[in-house]
Amino acid sequence: MPSLANVPVLVSRYRDGLFVATSLLVSDLEAFGVSPREAFDRLERHLEKLANQGRFWSPIRIVDATYQEYSVLVRVAERDKQRIVNFGPKIKIKVRCVFATGEQCETWCVLPDWDIRFVCDDNREPKSEVVELVRQHFANLSTDDLLRKMLPESTELRLARVRLIERGCLADQDFSPLDLVADPVSMRSRKAIAQTAWHRDQEVDRLVSQFGESSSTLLVGDSGCGKSLVIQTAALRYQEIERHRRQAQGIQETAPPLVWKTTASNLIAGMQYLGQWEERLEAVVEKLSELNAILFVDSLVELIRLGGKGPEDSIAAFILPYLRRNELCMVAEATYESLDSCRRLLPGFVEMFRVQPISRLTVEATEEIAGRIVREAKRNLRIEADDSCAKIAVSLYRRYLPYQSPPKGPVNLLSRLIAEARKSHTSELTSQRLLDRFTAETGLPSHLIRDCERIDTDELRRHFDREVIGQADATQVAVDTIVRLKAGMVDPKRPIATLMFCGPTGVGKTQLARSIADYVLAGRSDGGRLVRLDMSEYQSWDAVDRLLMTPQGEPAGWIQRLRTWPLAVVLLDEFEKAAPEVFDCLLSAFDEGRITDRFGRTTTLCGAIIVLTSNVGASRSASTGFIKDDSRRYARAIEQTFRPEFLNRLDSITIFQPLGQEAISQIVAKELSAINDRPAMRERGVELRWPDSLAAHLAQIGFDPSLGARPLQRAIEREVVAPLAKWLLNHADYRGAIEWEVELGGLTKV
């Protein structure tokens, strides 16, 4: 007998007047229309079609559903010196929630905008669970990530009634507790453009055959090369083969999902007490065995890292006996680096898998895949797209992010742009939009990525000379680095540049690193262009672990930031103070452009400009500045402090020169001019003017040969900013464009 299933559907209205109907809990489907009814009817018809094809599946039978909106205060990640911390401003966001009640009276909560779903705890207020999960979700997001989310103007919840005439409705089957920790890989999503592992037929066929033999398989390859897509494509093909087999044998019941995807975190989520997650995993393994299904885990090393205090009591150690007895069949992913770590951390675990390597795709294959995505968008989604977009996307990643394995980068970029085009009036995918999006996501300014825009090297040199005064050799190094980046002449297997700046304090080493970051990453809107680490904090015996990881074993803040924004300027300040083990750890980073922690998690630095600053040798210099042999003295001090194999990995060692009287005067003028850019001055239209006598006075009292130009800022704050602030407070009624003249005795109105 046919039965009816309730499917919660959100119908949302966006600013451009487009209505989008999105199904929840059942499958990741969308339908568009110019009215709410049109969008809802299209989605309901598609759900009926899936039911007729025997592809309709739901982990629960829905009795009723309600829609609720909450306002949640979240703290987005902000940069504080050398790390990302969660002490940013509180931002109020709107969170859309759907509460669905099942036949067993359980309540599911779905947050559709953030891909979060969970079973509500009967003993807790649902809103508190939503707030807690949303805040956890935003822990590693930046403000820019939040602002890129386009929420609809209005939303309403409807229930689609789907008539199930499939053979043996899967909704009647009980998949608990498997469906609480894993999702079935048994349907194609219409949201994603690329759902087929093109150019991977041999890998997919081999994996399907191993599925049929119930052999656990480990796919090994570079991050981004397409391992997950190979598994998903093989899972869909394996499901289709099983469906045809059942039809041929006259079996009326529909095959249950045969591949279930999960993560190590999901397997132990919410488990607080000793033995709780082990009990859950026993039930999951039993259900998988009952269904003759396969568990898909996206990261093998996470199974070893999570669960207990060490690998010996981890999730991997718990499931190892099941793998040995063939009571559990798994498919997992790993990189080559994490594979070595897995063998070292838990011997015998990797041997339970058949290792299947996944190689990088060629440039030609990547371009062909990108072209297919664009053509499908034009044909199926009626999006106007430039034929050149595919080749431009591949070219941008080859030139500026060559260390990322294709085709993930270009494919994801095009998919995001196509999704945006579907929700806009114009429905266009142009090369201009592609370049703008690439600029926004990488932080590179447009004049660096557009071949039609040329860089005037003389003007670039003058720019850095204005930023860092009196260091001609150092600014030339900065110019040469940017020119190589613009011309695409950087080595894709190494950092863009590894520079060491040496010299006494206060001569502009850190300022030059900051200026390079501001120029190269001018497209970054969040202001976090410089990743700065104070290396004096890494002197103890556990310096390497603290450099790479948090005490909980998660990647360090600066590592997470590089994974989010691989193009960066990394400043390792006072590098000579770090422990010798840190020098050894960074050898591979400077030479091969990657850094690996003890869990085998690799982070690339091939998109980074690494700047090391050092004061080594400064204490031996003359107190009044450099003497004739000071450059050679610094060179000898560097050779005595760092080993030859370390120095050989540096692209440039620049010794900063002493600051003369002319340079000091220019710095004073620059700092005084910067006062006019402060918010209070701009808002009130106040312009600061000063005579030459003030500049000379500040240069005399604010410069210390042993401390460089740093005391100048303190002198300016004391002698100029403090009296100016006091005067502004006493003359609060003055507004408009008022000019002031500063004399040594104080402030006078012009």
Side-chain angles (χ1 to χ4, degrees):
M1 291 290 294
S3 60
L4 293 175
N6 295 323
V7 182
V9 175
L10 284 185
V11 182
S12 306
R13 183 184 187 278
Y14 288 84
R15 293 184 179 88
D16 54 8
L18 181 69
F19 291 87
V20 181
T22 306
S23 68
L24 304 175
L25 294 181
V26 177
S27 56
D28 201 11
L29 302 177
E30 282 186 344
F32 302 87
V34 296
S35 68
R37 170 52 57 183
E38 181 182 2
F40 180 79
D41 289 346
R42 284 183 176 179
L43 184 65
E44 194 171 41
R45 286 195 299 269
H46 187 71
L47 290 170
E48 289 278 3
K49 181 180 177 181
L50 293 178
N52 292 333
Q53 295 174 351
R55 296 169 56 196
F56 184 94
W57 181 87
S58 174
I60 56 174
R61 295 296 294 268
I62 303 300
V63 176
D64 193 15
T66 58
Y67 175 74
Q68 183 71 42
E69 290 185 359
Y70 295 126
S71 293
V72 180
L73 286 175
V74 298
R75 286 188 183 272
V76 292
E78 275 198 348
R79 173 179 172 273
D80 181 14
K81 296 184 179 179
Q82 73 271 25
R83 60 176 64 89
I84 293 180
V85 295
N86 296 325
F87 299 109
K90 285 189 175 181
I91 297 178
K92 182 178 289 186
I93 64 169
K94 181 178 73 173
V95 177
R96 303 191 300 167
C97 305
V98 174
F99 296 96
T101 304
E103 288 184 337
Q104 304 300 323
C105 297
E106 74 277 20
T107 302
W108 289 69
C109 178
V110 181
L111 311 182
D113 299 309
W114 314 108
D115 195 24
I116 296 175
R117 63 185 63 189
F118 61 94
V119 178
C120 295
D121 189 342
D122 295 337
N123 299 322
R124 296 187 62 185
E125 173 68 25
K127 181 178 179 181
S128 65
E129 293 188 79
V130 171
V131 171
E132 180 180 340
L133 283 171
V134 170
R135 287 175 176 171
Q136 291 177 2
H137 182 78
F138 278 93
N140 294 321
L141 289 185
S142 66
T143 308
D144 190 53
D145 295 328
L146 175 61
L147 294 178
R148 281 204 293 260
K149 291 282 187 182
M150 184 176 70
L151 294 178
E153 289 185 338
S154 61
T155 302
E156 64 172 320
L157 175 67
R158 300 186 180 187
L159 286 179
R161 303 280 287 175
V162 181
R163 185 176 298 275
L164 304 178
I165 54 177
E166 51 183 319
R167 295 172 300 278
C169 180
L170 287 174
D172 295 331
Q173 299 189 28
D174 180 18
F175 294 103
S176 179
L178 182 58
D179 54 7
L180 298 178
V181 298
D183 295 319
V185 187
S186 58
M187 293 188 62
R188 296 180 184 270
S189 171
R190 295 184 62 193
K191 271 189 177 182
I193 303 298
Q195 287 292 312
T196 302
W198 291 309
H199 296 277
R200 297 291 191 186
D201 292 338
Q202 293 182 354
E203 291 89 342
V204 171
D205 291 342
R206 181 181 175 187
L207 187 56
V208 170
S209 67
Q210 293 178 5
F211 284 168
E213 298 171 2
S214 297
S215 298
S216 295
T217 307
L218 178 64
L219 270 60
V220 182
D222 296 333
S223 177
C225 68
K227 299 186 294 296
S228 297
L229 197 54
V230 169
I231 296 175
Q232 292 173 14
T233 304
L236 293 172
R237 191 175 299 178
Y238 184 53
Q239 190 80 27
E240 193 71 13
I241 291 173
E242 178 65 14
R243 187 175 70 85
H244 287 301
R245 186 189 68 81
R246 286 176 171 249
Q247 288 179 351
Q249 295 179 0
I251 301 176
Q252 298 300 316
E253 293 183 358
T254 302
L258 298 178
V259 180
W260 293 74
K261 182 178 181 181
T262 187
T263 65
S265 300
N266 284 346
L267 290 174
I268 61 175
M271 301 292 97
Q272 302 177 3
Y273 305 108
L274 186 65
Q276 202 172 5
W277 66 261
E278 290 90 342
E279 183 179 353
R280 172 193 277 179
L281 256 63
E282 286 180 352
V284 167
V285 172
E286 183 179 352
K287 177 58 69 173
L288 288 168
S289 178
E290 176 187 329
L291 300 174
N292 196 24
I294 300 163
L295 188 64
F296 168 24
V297 181
D298 62 353
S299 175
L300 191 70
V301 72
E302 291 299 295
L303 291 175
I304 299 177
R305 192 179 70 84
L306 297 179
K309 295 182 179 179
E312 64 281 353
D313 53 0
S314 63
I315 300 174
F318 180 81
I319 64 176
L320 182 56
Y322 295 97
L323 293 172
R324 284 176 178 160
R325 297 191 297 263
N326 293 324
E327 296 177 5
L328 173 64
C329 181
M330 286 182 57
V331 58
E333 302 176 25
T335 62
Y336 291 104
E337 295 81 8
S338 64
L339 180 63
D340 294 338
S341 296
C342 290
R343 288 194 170 112
R344 171 175 50 82
L345 293 170
L346 189 61
F349 183 60
V350 174
E351 284 66 26
M352 296 297 100
F353 297 84
R354 290 186 181 182
V355 178
Q356 179 176 338
I358 304 294
S359 59
R360 293 170 64 112
L361 289 179
T362 63
V363 175
E364 293 75 18
T366 305
E367 290 182 350
E368 199 273 335
I369 292 173
R372 282 194 183 190
I373 293 174
V374 174
R375 290 193 297 272
E376 284 193 3
K378 294 170 66 175
R379 181 176 63 252
N380 300 334
L381 305 178
R382 298 180 181 179
I383 291 176
E384 298 181 9
D386 293 344
D387 294 333
S388 61
C389 284
K391 185 168 288 188
I392 291 175
V394 176
S395 175
L396 288 173
Y397 273 84
R398 281 188 64 202
R399 186 168 178 178
Y400 297 103
L401 302 172
Y403 45 84
Q404 293 192 3
S405 298
K408 182 178 180 180
V411 166
N412 287 351
L413 177 61
L414 290 171
S415 299
R416 288 191 293 270
L417 288 169
I418 290 170
E420 289 179 358
R422 291 169 67 185
K423 294 183 179 181
S424 65
H425 272 306
T426 56
S427 296
E428 290 183 347
L429 173 57
T430 63
S431 57
Q432 179 63 42
R433 278 193 173 188
L434 191 148
L435 289 171
D436 292 342
R437 184 59 181 265
F438 186 80
T439 297
E441 292 187 357
T442 61
L444 286 170
S446 60
H447 60 266
L448 277 182
I449 66 174
R450 297 180 188 275
D451 292 332
C452 58
E453 297 186 29
R454 299 183 179 276
I455 290 182
D456 186 341
T457 55
D458 293 334
E459 176 56 35
L460 182 60
R461 174 65 182 269
R462 289 191 290 270
H463 166 77
F464 282 111
D465 285 340
R466 290 191 297 268
E467 293 293 318
V468 181
I469 297 171
Q471 304 296 343
D473 293 342
T475 54
Q476 185 61 49
V477 170
V479 171
D480 294 342
T481 300
I482 293 173
V483 168
R484 287 200 306 271
L485 177 62
K486 169 68 175 178
M489 295 299 293
V490 297
D491 187 346
K493 298 180 180 179
R494 298 189 66 224
I496 296 172
T498 306
L499 313 174
M500 176 177 276
F501 295 161
C502 296
T505 183
V507 293
K509 301 187 296 296
T510 301
Q511 177 61 33
L512 182 55
R514 187 178 292 111
S515 300
I516 294 174
D518 289 342
Y519 187 90
V520 173
L521 300 175
R524 284 204 61 173
S525 58
D526 61 352
R529 298 166 182 165
L530 183 68
V531 179
R532 182 173 180 177
L533 295 174
D534 186 353
M535 302 309 291
S536 63
E537 298 180 3
Y538 303 98
Q539 301 182 24
S540 58
W541 60 272
D542 61 341
V544 173
D545 274 352
R546 291 194 299 106
L547 177 68
L548 302 181
M549 296 185 298
T550 65
Q552 295 75 29
E554 298 295 331
W558 73 281
I559 295 289
Q560 294 181 11
R561 187 171 172 189
L562 284 180
R563 290 180 175 181
T564 306
W565 293 85
L567 283 168
V569 177
V570 181
L571 173 61
L572 306 179
D573 212 3
E574 298 188 85
F575 190 77
E576 78 281 359
K577 296 182 179 179
E581 292 79 10
V582 174
F583 299 170
D584 297 335
C585 172
L586 294 175
L587 284 178
S588 62
F590 298 162
D591 188 32
E592 301 174 0
R594 60 183 185 179
I595 191 167
T596 306
D597 61 23
R598 58 187 171 91
F599 291 111
R601 297 172 298 194
T602 300
T603 303
T604 180
L605 281 83
C606 291
I609 298 175
I610 304 175
V611 179
L612 292 71
T613 67
S614 174
N615 297 328
V616 64
S619 59
R620 309 174 194 177
S621 299
S623 61
T624 57
F626 279 58
I627 58 176
K628 291 183 179 180
D629 66 341
D630 261 0
S631 295
R632 292 193 296 272
R633 182 179 299 169
Y634 270 84
R636 287 197 301 270
I638 293 170
E639 293 175 357
Q640 294 171 2
T641 304
F642 303 104
R643 300 198 307 270
E645 60 267 27
F646 179 86
L647 297 177
N648 283 338
R649 287 166 168 78
L650 304 178
D651 295 322
S652 174
I653 300 176
T654 305
I655 298 177
F656 278 57
Q657 300 301 317
L659 298 175
Q661 189 62 42
E662 181 180 354
I664 295 299
S665 300
Q666 294 178 22
I667 293 173
V668 171
K670 176 186 174 184
E671 295 295 333
L672 289 174
S673 298
I675 295 176
N676 290 323
D677 295 329
R678 299 192 181 188
M681 302 289 285
R682 291 198 307 267
E683 291 171 3
R684 298 184 60 172
V686 179
E687 179 184 357
L688 177 65
R689 293 182 178 180
W690 62 90
D692 294 340
S693 57
L694 175 63
H697 173 68
L698 292 173
Q700 180 180 0
I701 67 172
F703 176 64
D704 187 335
S706 62
L707 299 177
R710 291 187 186 274
L712 274 177
Q713 184 63 46
R714 294 193 292 270
I716 292 174
E717 292 290 328
R718 182 179 66 254
E719 300 289 331
V720 177
V721 176
L724 179 60
K726 186 183 298 184
W727 195 97
L728 291 174
L729 289 176
N730 293 333
H731 299 78
D733 54 332
Y734 282 96
R735 294 292 185 272
I738 305 175
E739 296 181 352
W740 301 91
E741 181 180 351
V742 180
E743 299 292 344
L744 290 179
L747 300 168
T748 58
K749 182 182 175 183
V750 175

